[in-house]
RNA sequence: GCUCUCGUAGCUCAGUAGGAUAGAGCGAGAACCUCCUAAGUUCUAGGUCGCAGGUUCGAUUCCUGCCGAGGGCACCA
């Protein structure tokens, strides 16, 4: 029986007893982990609630402690429960039978694998404009999205990961303007330039994009180049389109490489150009008209537009409550296209992309890209058609995302709003000191602000690759000093794993709706609450097992199962609470991952991994396994250490963090 | 103007389906390497949970108002 199952069983029993003894139907039964191991493994503050409801129902005033005493008796009937105590004003504290419970669960595996028969869910993340390199704020999106994918998979969900490519938007147009009108280069010349470029292509574009911003600022007339270019991109053919397609694709390749460094991969790259060329909007528009959810305005300020009635809280008057989807000149707004695209993801559009293979990763995993050309590639996976779609998009887009969600739900009430989830998060901004370190020219007003927003347009930001490099260099210095016997290759691998762990943990330890104010010192830390701290706990435990005899774990399990009585005594001894609390914490991984999935909050998992690591470092400090002379105690310690390292390895893996061989 | 999010230790942040003594990291001050790696462990100092009301046996958590910070509110993308 797992901890989750036991909790639910106990919860049911509490509800049942409340019904039988007090004639009260409890809607929800809260259970909590007591603040200290001495207070038990699970607590029900339910007697307070019952006392209140009994008073309401009968007017009779009952002491919560008396109520708890009655519930106590019924819970004690389970064999997994060692004892139940009534504590404080009426808490019901449940103590598990540690030896029995541990014997049953010491071999548990924590992570589920995706069930191929379960309905597919889609997570879209990254989705950066393919016109420059990624900065650390973009990386937050990807790390959050990728970790959420891992969390869903660990709960057994089948997940499709998409990275949307806006290859026909203003940002791509702007960098194309830079190539055409500032650099005066055609496609061949760009390729030639690239062949002897000292910096990566996306870095080059980063600088060029900033120049274009200045180009527009210097003379508003220059904006006509943007309009021209956008028009060409929309047309979908011709020299400029070809050039833009090349530039965008090259940037996508660079971005995929950056993400590969963080162990982030995709299944599909849906491109905006294909949404345009395959007329997704027209299809969606037909469906909307068919279902009568859009209206053509013949008068008022929206005259000539197609609108969708929208009873959102955002509108200030009745008119603004309607969302314009088609402008009076007949063109569709961005949100309209987004609704069509969201319909495709959910399998509601009734039309599909064409596909071709974009790239094959080292281990053979494939990432596909959409096209508008009819092709019939071999081994084409099935894309789209997801039960639920999670869009990882920063909180500034909350309003358009709300429109998409409500829009789709209006067209398909049978599907409902639950199918579209905006996985919203706050941006990464620069601290004033970090901005100054980067040499940005801040105004006096800027310097008084709580943070400085990153801006691709201004060229303000810490590039993801630069920062990973910085972390790798720092880690390499440490690794090579500590492990001079390792080959250079191995040292570099470990430094890389540490860098990834540090960055991913840093981006995940904050809850989604906290603005991360990026500060170099804090982000580069390898001590305290960091990924490195967690990795180190796992490495230390692994090194114990390397030094133990070959069959130590199997032997321990055998000793353990035969000596139930002595095991009980150990758990009841002086060190019992401490070692049991580590075991109990390790056994909570599954529950934690499930909580993180329900709350769409990877930070819950990050905090768990940190707390588990802390308990492990403490355990490591207090107990010597290898030299332990009492065979049964040694077996218990080995089994707990194994449980803990497997839980931590699984928890870290779910965050996309590897455990290095040595550190 | 309308609307959303946030305000917890010197700093950066957790927490709260209303509940036991409000936690962690950093920073500050001390102690611990002959020891399965000190990227570690232990101890100390540090809080009117923005302010004021309300609901409740009980509020940092829920409600209202105020103050402060940051978003979002186009026939932009």
């Amino acid at each position: 029986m797992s901890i989750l199952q036991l909790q639910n069983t106990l919860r049911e029993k509490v509800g049942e007893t409340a019904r039988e003894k007090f004639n009260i139907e409890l809607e929800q039964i809260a259970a909590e982990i007591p603040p200290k191991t001495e207070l038990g493994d699970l607590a029900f503050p339910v007697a307070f609630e019952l006392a209140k409801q009994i008073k309401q129902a009968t007017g009779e005033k009952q002491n919560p402690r008396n109520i708890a005493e009655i519930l106590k008796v019924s819970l004690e009937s389970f064999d997994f429960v060692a004892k139940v105590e009534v504590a404080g004003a009426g808490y019901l504290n449940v103590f598990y039978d540690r030896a029995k419970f541990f014997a049953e669960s010491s071999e548990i595996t924590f992570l589920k694998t995706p069930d191929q028969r379960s309905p597919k869910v889609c997570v879209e993340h990254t989705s950066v404009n393919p016109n420059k390199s990624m900065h650390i704020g973009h990386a937050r999106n990807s790390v959050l999205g990728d970790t959420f994918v891992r969390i869903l998979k660990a709960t057994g969900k089948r997940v499709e990961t998409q990275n949307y490519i806006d290859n026909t938007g203003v940002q791509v147009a702007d960098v194309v303007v830079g190539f055409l009108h500032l650099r005066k280069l055609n496609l061949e010349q760009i390729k030639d330039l690239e062949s002897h470029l000292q910096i990566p292509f996306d870095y080059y574009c980063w600088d060029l994009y900033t120049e274009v911003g200045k180009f527009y600022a210097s003379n508003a007339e220059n904006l006509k180049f943007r309009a021209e270019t956008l028009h060409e991109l929309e047309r979908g053919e011709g020299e400029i389109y070809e050039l833009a397609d090349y530039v965008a694709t090259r940037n996508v390749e660079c971005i995929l490489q950056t993400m590969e460094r963080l162990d982030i991969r995709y299944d599909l790259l849906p491109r905006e150009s294909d949404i345009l060329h395959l007329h997704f909007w027209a299809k969606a528009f037909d469906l909307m008209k068919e279902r009568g959810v859009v209206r053509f305005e013949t008068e008022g300020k929206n005259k000539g537009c197609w609108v969708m009635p929208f009873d959102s809280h955002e509108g200030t008057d009745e008119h603004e409550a309607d969302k314009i989807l088609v402008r009076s000149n007949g063109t569709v707004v961005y949100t309209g296209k987004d609704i069509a695209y969201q319909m495709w993801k959910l399998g509601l559009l009734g039309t599909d992309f064409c596909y071709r293979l974009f790239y094959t990763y080292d281990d053979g995993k494939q990432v596909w890209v959409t096209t508008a050309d009819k092709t019939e590639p071999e081994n084409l996976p099935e894309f789209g058609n997801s039960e639920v779609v999670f869009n990882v998009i920063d909180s500034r887009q909350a309003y358009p995302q709300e429109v998409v969600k409500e829009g789709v739900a209006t067209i398909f009430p049978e599907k409902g709003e639950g199918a579209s989830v905006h996985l919203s998060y706050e941006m990464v901004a620069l601290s004033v000191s970090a901005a100054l370190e980067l040499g940005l020219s801040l105004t006096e007003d800027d310097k008084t602000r709580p943070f400085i927003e990153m801006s691709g347009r201004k060229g303000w930001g810490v590039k993801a690759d630069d920062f990973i490099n910085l972390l790798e260099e720092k880690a390499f210095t440490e690794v090579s000093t500590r492990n001079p016997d390792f080959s250079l290759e191995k040292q570099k691998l470990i430094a890389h794993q540490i860098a990834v762990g540090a960055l991913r943990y840093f981006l995940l330890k904050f809850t989604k709706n906290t603005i991360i104010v990026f500060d170099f010192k804090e982000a580069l830390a390898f001590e305290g609450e960091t990924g490195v701290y967690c990795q180190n706990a796992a490495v230390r435990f692994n090194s114990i097992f390397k030094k133990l005899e070959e069959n130590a774990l199997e032997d321990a399990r055998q000793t353990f199962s035969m000596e139930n009585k002595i095991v009980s005594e150990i758990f009841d001894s002086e060190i019992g609470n401490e070692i049991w609390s580590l075991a109990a914490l390790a056994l909570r991984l599954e529950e934690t991952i499930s909580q993180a999935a329900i709350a769409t909050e990877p930070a819950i998992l990050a905090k768990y991994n940190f707390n588990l690591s802390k308990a492990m470092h403490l355990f490591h400090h207090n107990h010597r396994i290898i030299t332990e002379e009492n065979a049964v105690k040694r077996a218990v310690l080995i089994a707990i250490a194994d449980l803990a390292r497997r839980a931590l390895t699984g928890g870290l893996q779910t965050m996309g963090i590897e455990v290095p061989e040595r550190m």
Side-chain angles (χ1 to χ4, degrees):
Chain A
M1 178 171 312
S2 77
I3 283 219
L4 271 180
Q5 288 166 326
L6 181 55
Q7 275 181 21
N8 286 331
T9 310
L10 293 173
R11 210 185 292 250
E12 277 165 29
K13 188 70 184 177
V14 168
E16 198 181 299
T17 313
R19 205 176 306 128
E20 282 171 9
K21 306 278 183 185
F22 307 105
N23 197 26
I24 300 276
E25 193 66 42
L26 289 166
E27 279 184 24
Q28 277 179 320
I29 298 159
E32 55 193 46
I33 309 297
K36 282 183 169 184
T37 311
E38 293 78 40
L39 293 171
D41 297 303
L42 193 68
F44 291 102
V46 70
F48 306 109
E49 179 63 25
L50 274 174
K52 186 192 275 181
Q53 292 206 24
I54 289 168
K55 196 181 157 199
Q56 275 172 6
T58 64
E60 184 189 349
K61 220 173 166 181
Q62 287 224 25
N63 186 338
R65 280 194 73 104
N66 293 340
I67 297 170
E69 289 293 345
I70 292 167
L71 293 169
K72 173 184 154 160
V73 177
S74 70
L75 289 183
E76 275 177 336
S77 61
F78 288 99
D79 60 349
F80 274 95
V81 174
K83 61 171 174 172
V84 180
E85 282 180 357
V86 175
Y91 279 94
L92 207 53
N93 291 340
V94 181
F95 295 74
Y96 299 156
D97 182 332
R98 294 173 174 180
K100 184 175 171 60
F101 199 81
F102 190 63
E104 289 241 349
S105 50
S106 69
E107 292 182 51
I108 193 172
T109 52
F110 297 103
L111 306 183
K112 293 195 182 123
T113 45
D115 177 356
Q116 292 311 316
R117 292 158 307 173
S118 77
K120 184 170 68 180
V121 300
C122 168
V123 177
E124 181 199 302
H125 66 77
T126 307
S127 308
V128 296
N129 283 296
N131 74 322
K132 59 177 180 307
S133 59
M134 290 178 79
H135 62 56
I136 206 78
H138 300 128
R140 184 180 195 182
N141 181 305
S142 308
V143 168
L144 210 50
D146 178 66
T147 303
F148 192 61
V149 169
R150 290 166 188 267
I151 287 170
L152 290 175
K153 285 181 177 168
T155 63
K157 285 272 189 321
R158 201 152 62 91
V159 187
E160 179 172 309
T161 309
Q162 300 185 2
N163 173 8
Y164 178 68
I165 310 295
D166 184 0
N167 58 347
T168 56
V170 169
Q171 297 217 24
V172 167
D174 281 349
V175 81
V176 168
V177 167
F179 279 115
L180 288 173
H181 301 283
L182 293 177
R183 294 289 184 272
K184 318 256 185 229
L185 300 175
N186 63 28
L187 181 52
E188 286 314 307
Q189 290 166 319
I190 292 174
K191 288 180 180 170
D192 184 53
L193 164 88
E194 221 186 320
S195 65
H196 40 80
L197 213 52
Q198 299 296 314
I199 52 172
F201 185 73
D202 57 337
Y203 276 43
Y204 184 86
C205 290
W206 172 283
D207 295 332
L208 182 56
Y209 180 55
T210 311
E211 276 184 57
V212 174
K214 289 177 188 156
F215 178 57
Y216 293 150
S218 70
N219 186 346
E221 268 193 27
N222 293 334
L223 281 164
K224 71 172 186 242
F225 296 122
R226 173 194 275 175
E228 277 171 26
T229 308
L230 271 172
H231 185 73
E232 288 294 311
L233 298 195
E234 209 158 316
R235 200 159 68 86
E237 53 187 21
E239 263 180 52
I240 294 179
Y241 175 79
E242 300 288 326
L243 187 150
D245 187 44
Y246 178 81
V247 169
T249 303
R250 282 292 296 119
N251 274 303
V252 171
E253 285 166 358
C254 292
I255 288 159
L256 254 58
Q257 253 172 40
T258 306
M259 290 300 94
E260 173 73 350
R261 293 180 79 183
L262 296 179
D263 214 357
I264 296 173
R265 295 174 168 192
Y266 310 90
D267 298 310
L268 179 67
L269 312 173
R271 299 189 302 177
E272 182 169 71
S273 56
D274 301 317
I275 292 175
L276 295 179
H277 301 154
L278 294 168
H279 309 293
F280 274 25
W281 165 248
K283 183 83 186 175
F285 196 31
D286 285 346
L287 270 165
M288 289 180 196
K289 286 191 266 195
E290 215 175 283
R291 293 192 167 219
V293 296
V294 283
R295 182 175 71 222
F296 186 71
E297 296 286 57
T298 52
E299 55 189 19
K301 69 175 196 177
N302 293 340
K303 187 178 173 184
C305 300
W306 284 89
V307 302
M308 181 180 272
F310 204 74
D311 41 306
S312 159
H313 37 271
E314 298 278 347
T316 46
D317 56 49
E318 319 85 65
H319 289 287
E320 282 185 40
D322 296 335
K323 176 65 195 169
I324 292 166
L325 293 182
V326 179
R327 305 180 186 102
S328 54
N329 68 4
T331 56
V332 57
V333 300
Y334 183 83
T335 311
K337 281 182 273 184
D338 228 16
I339 291 174
Y341 176 41
Q342 183 78 359
M343 283 163 60
W344 171 80
K345 289 182 190 170
L346 291 165
L348 301 170
L349 189 61
T351 190
D352 198 3
F353 291 105
C354 304
Y355 305 91
R356 70 180 159 78
L357 186 60
F358 186 77
Y359 178 72
T360 305
Y361 293 102
D362 283 348
D363 65 350
K365 186 200 156 33
Q366 300 178 329
V367 51
W368 291 71
V369 65
T370 61
T371 76
D373 316 315
K374 287 269 177 286
T375 51
E376 288 191 12
E378 284 175 33
N379 304 320
L380 175 69
E382 197 196 301
F383 294 113
N385 230 336
S386 300
E387 178 100 312
V388 180
V389 172
F390 296 90
N391 292 317
V392 183
I393 305 177
D394 79 71
S395 66
R396 286 169 291 193
Q397 306 235 28
Y399 175 64
Q401 277 296 303
E402 186 67 21
V403 174
V404 169
K405 178 210 274 259
E406 281 195 37
V408 173
T410 307
I411 306 162
F412 297 96
E414 66 275 22
K415 192 76 186 171
E417 291 191 8
S420 310
V421 181
H422 176 202
L423 213 156
S424 169
Y425 67 94
E426 283 287 350
M427 63 179 161
V428 181
L430 298 166
S431 68
V432 171
S433 65
L436 293 173
E437 276 178 69
L438 287 168
L440 308 185
S441 50
L442 302 184
T443 63
E444 286 309 309
D445 190 43
D446 284 337
K447 288 179 194 167
T448 64
R449 297 175 70 85
F451 52 80
I452 308 295
E453 194 174 337
M454 292 200 232
S455 160
R457 197 161 291 278
K458 291 182 189 166
W460 286 8
V462 178
K463 293 191 193 79
D465 277 315
D466 283 349
F467 193 65
I468 300 169
N469 292 344
L470 208 55
L471 283 165
E472 283 183 349
E473 283 160 28
K474 189 184 172 196
F476 181 77
T477 310
E478 293 285 336
V479 171
S480 54
T481 315
R482 288 161 202 256
N483 305 286
D485 55 313
F486 275 11
S487 69
L488 183 66
E489 200 182 323
K490 200 176 254 187
Q491 289 174 349
K492 281 193 170 164
L493 172 67
I494 295 171
H496 170 73
Q497 290 171 323
I498 290 172
V500 172
L503 180 55
R504 291 191 67 129
Y505 192 90
F506 177 75
L507 292 172
L508 290 168
K509 73 172 175 177
F510 300 94
T511 51
K512 290 176 302 181
N513 59 1
T514 297
I515 296 175
I516 299 180
V517 181
F518 183 89
D519 179 81
F520 280 99
K521 188 169 172 288
E522 204 188 334
L524 283 167
F526 284 171
E527 281 140 40
E529 195 196 338
T530 62
V532 182
Y533 178 93
C534 299
Q535 286 173 316
N536 196 227
V539 168
R540 289 176 109 180
F541 271 49
N542 283 340
S543 83
I544 297 172
F545 283 88
K546 275 181 204 154
K547 293 190 178 170
L548 280 170
E549 56 279 21
E550 188 97 355
N551 300 321
L553 186 57
E554 286 71 25
D555 294 349
R557 280 177 178 154
Q558 215 160 36
T559 311
F560 191 78
S561 54
M562 290 187 321
E563 302 289 352
N564 197 281
K565 193 162 162 287
I566 306 178
V567 172
S568 285
E569 282 168 20
I570 293 170
F571 276 127
D572 287 338
S573 74
E574 213 180 312
I575 62 159
N577 278 338
E578 190 213 307
I579 62 174
W580 168 250
S581 65
L582 177 58
L585 187 57
L587 287 170
R588 236 169 257 147
L589 174 62
E590 190 188 359
E591 181 193 348
T592 305
I593 289 177
S594 135
Q595 270 176 15
I598 292 165
T600 65
E601 181 54 272
I604 293 173
L605 179 59
K607 294 287 171 195
Y608 169 84
N609 283 332
F610 175 63
N611 285 326
L612 179 58
S613 303
K614 212 158 43 153
M616 285 166 69
H617 277 301
L618 184 60
F619 177 96
H620 188 273
H621 185 257
N622 288 343
H623 307 286
R624 290 288 99 103
I625 288 180
I626 292 174
T627 52
E628 176 58 50
E629 283 171 9
N630 179 323
V632 181
K633 185 177 169 191
R634 190 170 189 264
V636 170
L637 292 179
I638 287 175
I640 290 180
D642 176 64
L643 195 66
R645 69 169 176 155
R646 287 191 296 112
L648 181 58
T649 305
L652 288 175
Q653 186 190 320
T654 309
M655 284 177 76
I657 298 175
E658 288 183 295
V659 176
E661 183 185 329
R662 213 162 75 184
M663 287 176 72

